[in-house]
């Protein structure tokens, strides 16, 4: 045997000591970062990053265990489970198994959690966590038999303590009816009345069962277990449940109460917290229910800043947008939701979404698209039940039928809509809602008396709580007919707090509001060339009294160029409109200005004979229609006229008038005319109207008359007006109208000539409060047989002041 040199033993000893030294360094560094992680969130993140590097370098099991613990402290459960992808469950130490079991439950991998906790039972049989965790994980995995076995095993080893009772309560939530859980939890609380876990478990079950009085008693009995936020959560939850129930039942006082309660919770909570967000969402739904669409939109703007909102919040937002007259904003949201529902497995669209889609397209005046959306409902009268053996009544057949009738009316075919409802009433003669809808169609067709008859008939088939709704419908029809006495008789019994009456009260306030009207027109002769003739009128109405009376003041000015000899006149006056339905009396008096150096007065009477026919008569001293050129000569005129208007439908109006003008210079002007307006065609946003008129006039021969005074004159005119309407958002509607017409004018002793005009105009409606219109055009008129060409324009503004 050869002799071993002593140096070799030294080398071997040194090499053998290296792993031990390296191990000592790894454990020291591990302990350093473990301690460092306790100093704060930033230090925790730094320690986890360094521990991850250390584990990658060493693969040490203790480093792995600490790394898993640090990641779990950062709520990084998925990363903790991915620390060792090649490790088997049996490779982990007990503390790792406990941490990874918790991580697996956090990321909803209950079967993995169950395996980890089961292995923990093997490695640490004297520990409770393995059995407790396995019971919870089995419950998460819906393996309820396994969960029961784990609970029994726990009780045999460790007894019946608070931890396992909590796990058992968790299991019972899934396998026992709430009523049974409630009884068990009440017994547990009686056995141990000071147990916080028992109190909270019973409170949670009471919350799931919506037993608000029990929740309130628990809060009162155990004030130390609940804080102010818990009380606010209870208040918000109770208000939200009440809102849903009262909304479904149409119980206005309860809806209003829920809105107030939710508003109080919103005011008492901190923005951004869970309770504030939930209360704001529910308050938004309540605001929609009570007709406070502006509040709903304001709430949504706050919620939107917190991120994408749940579908039910988006639905309320769409409702608020449609209520506020913003269908364009609602469109993309509804279309996106439709695509989402169509992409689901069933591919079916929720019936509530169908109605919103129909409403949106209707508000946009895309009535053909709305009709296509109606077909998304099953429009068959009968459908098979779930067995597919029995035919049952389709719950959406009536909804679709009524919508088709509405769309037909809105497209301009009021008669067609009425025919549909007549057919329905023939089959369902006691359907009050069909009677109400038919009444609405009659009213939109200008038949207010017939509408009231349908509303009165519907009243007989509705319960007493619906009587206010019917009264509001009748009052709205009476308002359209000018019967303010009947309106007030019904309005006395109507509550402004009733949600279903919001539309009536808005219309009522609108019709009674003060009003400012401003109008002006200008005309410039281009051949033969002359200056610009213009006029303006400003009229301010007082609010209408409950009886329908109102007063007004006005100012008028007229300017005539007269080939360089400027002529101007005007008047300032006050008037009174007295409603004595079926008569309306107008009286006005005032003083002329400039060339009109004289007082004036007028008295007029309108008489509504029935739905179709109305008559009027008017007498005026120093009439506003007196030519300015007559006033230049100091000639004044009194006017007397009568007229009739016949409305066979909302599409057609026929009128006739006759009048006498008595001038101071001895002239007597007699005039008569007839006219016809008719809606020729309507398709979605397009509408074509036509009008015809014929006039006859006769004057005495007054050679010295400075004003236009043909002995006899006749005219016949026809006009077509094509209008395109664009609904915008925020209740703004924009209309463009292109009109063109032609006619013939004849005058005694003069050549008969053609007349024509073409004009283009815009009309703006700004909600209910303002209407603005303006137009400009060119025309050919005839005076004493000579054609004249004019450029003209006009502007009208009407403001409701309330």
């Amino acid at each position: 045997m050869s002799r071993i040199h002593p140096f070799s033993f030294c080398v071997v000893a040194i090499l053998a000591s290296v792993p031990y030294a390296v191990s000592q360094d790894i454990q020291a560094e591990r302990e350093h970062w473990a301690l460092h992680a306790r100093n704060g969130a930033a230090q925790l993140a730094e320690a986890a990053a360094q521990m991850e590097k250390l584990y990658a370098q060493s693969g040490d099991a203790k480093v792995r265990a600490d790394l898993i613990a640090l990641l779990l402290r950062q709520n990084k459960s998925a990363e903790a489970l991915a620390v060792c992808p090649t490790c088997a469950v049996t490779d982990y130490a007990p503390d790792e198994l406990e941490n990874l079991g918790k991580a697996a439950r956090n990321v909803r991998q209950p079967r993995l959690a169950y395996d980890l906790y089961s292995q923990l039972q093997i490695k640490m049989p004297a520990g409770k966590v393995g059995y407790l965790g396995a019971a919870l994980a089995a419950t998460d995995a819906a393996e309820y038999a396994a969960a029961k076995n784990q609970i029994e095993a726990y009780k045999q080893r460790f007894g019946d303590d608070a931890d396992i009772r909590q796990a058992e309560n968790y299991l019972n939530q899934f396998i026992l009816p709430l009523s049974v859980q409630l009884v068990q939890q009440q017994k547990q609380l009686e056995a141990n009345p000071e147990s916080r876990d028992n109190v909270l478990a019973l409170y949670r079950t009471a919350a799931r069962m919506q037993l608000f009085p029990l929740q309130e008693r628990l809060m009162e009995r155990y004030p130390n277990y609940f804080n102010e936020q818990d009380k606010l959560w209870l208040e918000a939850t109770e208000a939200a449940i009440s809102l849903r129930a009262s909304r479904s039942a149409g119980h206005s006082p309860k809806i209003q109460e829920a809105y107030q309660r939710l508003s109080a919770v919103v005011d008492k909570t901190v923005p951004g917290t869970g309770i504030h967000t939930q209360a704001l969402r529910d308050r938004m739904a309540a605001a929609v229910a009570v007709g406070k669409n502006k509040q709903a939109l304001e709430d949504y703007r706050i919620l939107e800043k917190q991120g994408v909102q749940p579908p039910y919040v988006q639905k309320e937002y769409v409702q608020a947008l449609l209520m506020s007259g913003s269908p364009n904003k609602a469109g993309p949201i509804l279309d996106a939701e439709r695509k989402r529902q169509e992409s689901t497995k069933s591919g079916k669209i929720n019936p509530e979404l169908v109605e919103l889609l129909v409403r949106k397209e209707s508000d946009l005046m895309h009535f053909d698209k709305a009709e296509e959306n109606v077909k998304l409902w099953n429009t068959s009268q009968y459908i098979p039940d779930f067995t597919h053996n029995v035919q049952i009544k389709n719950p959406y057949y009536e909804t679709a039928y009524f919508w088709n009738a509405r769309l037909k009316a809105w497209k301009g075919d009021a008669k067609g809509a009425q025919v549909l409802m007549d057919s329905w009433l023939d089959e369902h003669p006691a359907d009050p809602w069909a009677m109400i809808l038919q009444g609405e169609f009659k009213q939109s067709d200008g038949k207010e008396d017939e509408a009231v008859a349908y509303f009165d008939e519907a009243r007989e088939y509705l319960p007493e709580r619906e009587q206010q709704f019917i009264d509001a419908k009748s009052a709205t029809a009476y308002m359209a007919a000018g019967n303010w006495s009947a309106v007030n008789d019904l309005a006395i019994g109507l509550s402004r707090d009733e949600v279903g009456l919001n539309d009536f009260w808005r219309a009522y306030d609108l019709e009674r509001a003060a009003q400012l009207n401003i109008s002006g027109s200008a005309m410039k002769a281009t051949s033969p060339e002359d200056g610009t003739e213009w006029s303006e009128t400003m009229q301010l109405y007082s609010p209408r009294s409950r009886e329908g009376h109102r007063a007004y003041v006005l100012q008028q000015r007229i300017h005539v160029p007269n080939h360089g000899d400027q002529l101007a006149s005007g008047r300032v006056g006050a008037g009174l409109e007295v409603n004595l339905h079926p008569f309306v009396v107008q009286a006005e008096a005032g003083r002329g200005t400039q060339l009109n150096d004289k007082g004036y007065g007028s008295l007029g009477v309108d008489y509504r004979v029935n739905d179709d026919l109305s008559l009027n008569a008017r007498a005026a001293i120093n009439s506003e229609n007196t030519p300015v050129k007559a006033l230049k000569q100091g000639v004044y005129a009194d006017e007397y006229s009568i007229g009739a208007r016949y409305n066979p439908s909302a599409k057609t109006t026929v009128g006739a008038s006759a009048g006498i003008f008595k001038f101071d210079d001895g002239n007597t002007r007699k005039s008569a005319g007839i006219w016809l307006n008719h809606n020729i065609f309507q398709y979605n946003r397009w509408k074509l109207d036509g009008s015809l008129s014929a006039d006859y006039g006769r004057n005495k021969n007054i050679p010295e008359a400075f004003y236009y005074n043909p002995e006899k004159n006749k005219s016949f005119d026809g006009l077509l007006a094509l209008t395109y309407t664009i609904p915008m958002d925020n209740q703004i509607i924009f209309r463009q109208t292109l009109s063109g017409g032609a006619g013939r004018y004849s005058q005694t002793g003069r050549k008969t000539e053609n007349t024509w005009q073409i004009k283009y105009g815009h009309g703006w409606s700004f909600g209910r409060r303002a209407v603005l219109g303006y137009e400009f055009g060119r025309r050919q008129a005839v005076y004493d047989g000579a054609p004249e060409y004019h450029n003209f324009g006009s502007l009208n503004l009407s403001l409701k002041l309330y």
Side-chain angles (χ1 to χ4, degrees), residues 414-415 443-447 647-653 677 679:
K415 294 297 183 186
Q443 184 179 335
S444 66
D445 201 29
K447 309 298 182 186
N647 299 82
S649 72
K651 296 183 71 169
T652 305
T653 304
N677 290 333
N679 172 215

Side-chain angles (χ1 to χ4, degrees), residues 275-471:
I275 183 172
H276 184 272
T277 297
Q278 188 57 53
L280 204 60
R281 289 170 175 170
D282 291 330
R283 201 265 294 275
M284 181 181 170
V288 169
V290 298
K292 296 180 180 292
N293 52 289
K294 290 183 179 179
Q295 181 65 64
L297 294 175
E298 183 179 331
D299 289 347
Y300 185 79
R301 281 191 285 270
I302 297 173
L303 291 168
E304 193 177 25
K305 295 176 182 177
Q306 300 177 14
V308 178
Q309 294 301 305
Y312 75 91
V313 178
Q314 295 277 4
K315 177 189 170 186
E316 298 297 342
Y317 176 51
V318 167
Q319 293 269 24
L321 287 172
L322 294 176
M323 288 168 60
S324 63
S326 297
N328 293 288
K329 290 180 181 177
I333 303 170
L334 287 172
D335 293 340
E337 178 61 17
R338 176 177 181 172
K339 289 180 181 178
R340 187 192 69 79
Q341 293 189 16
E342 287 178 332
S343 66
T344 60
K345 186 175 181 180
S346 68
K348 293 182 179 179
I349 299 177
N350 185 295
E352 292 184 357
L353 176 61
V354 174
E355 184 145 18
L356 290 174
L357 289 168
V358 173
R359 283 180 55 192
K360 182 259 293 186
E361 297 297 354
S362 299
D363 290 350
L364 289 170
M365 298 182 71
H366 294 151
F367 301 121
D368 52 351
K369 290 183 180 179
E371 287 176 329
E372 288 299 314
N373 284 332
V374 169
K375 296 176 183 177
L376 295 173
W377 281 306
N378 185 339
T379 56
S380 301
Q381 190 168 359
Y382 295 97
I383 57 174
D385 70 350
F386 70 97
T387 67
H388 293 277
N389 296 320
V390 179
Q391 293 289 314
I392 61 174
K393 198 171 183 180
N394 180 3
Y396 294 105
Y397 172 70
E398 178 179 337
T399 302
Y401 191 99
F402 282 19
W403 264 111
N404 279 325
R406 290 189 190 97
L407 292 170
K408 188 175 284 291
W410 294 342
K411 288 169 68 175
D413 188 5
K415 294 297 183 186
Q418 292 171 41
V419 168
L420 280 178
M421 295 316 298
D422 283 338
S423 298
W424 180 274
L425 287 168
D426 287 342
E427 295 183 19
H428 310 82
D431 185 345
W433 302 108
M435 296 174 191
I436 291 170
L437 187 56
Q438 182 72 305
E440 291 175 351
F441 292 156
K442 290 290 184 181
Q443 184 179 335
S444 66
D445 201 29
K447 309 298 182 186
E448 291 87 6
D449 295 343
E450 293 183 36
V452 170
Y454 273 101
F455 297 147
D456 288 343
E457 186 178 359
R459 183 183 280 105
E460 299 176 12
Y461 298 96
L462 288 174
E464 185 175 348
R465 64 187 181 87
E466 303 284 357
Q467 297 303 309
Q468 282 199 2
F469 178 75
I470 290 292
D471 288 345

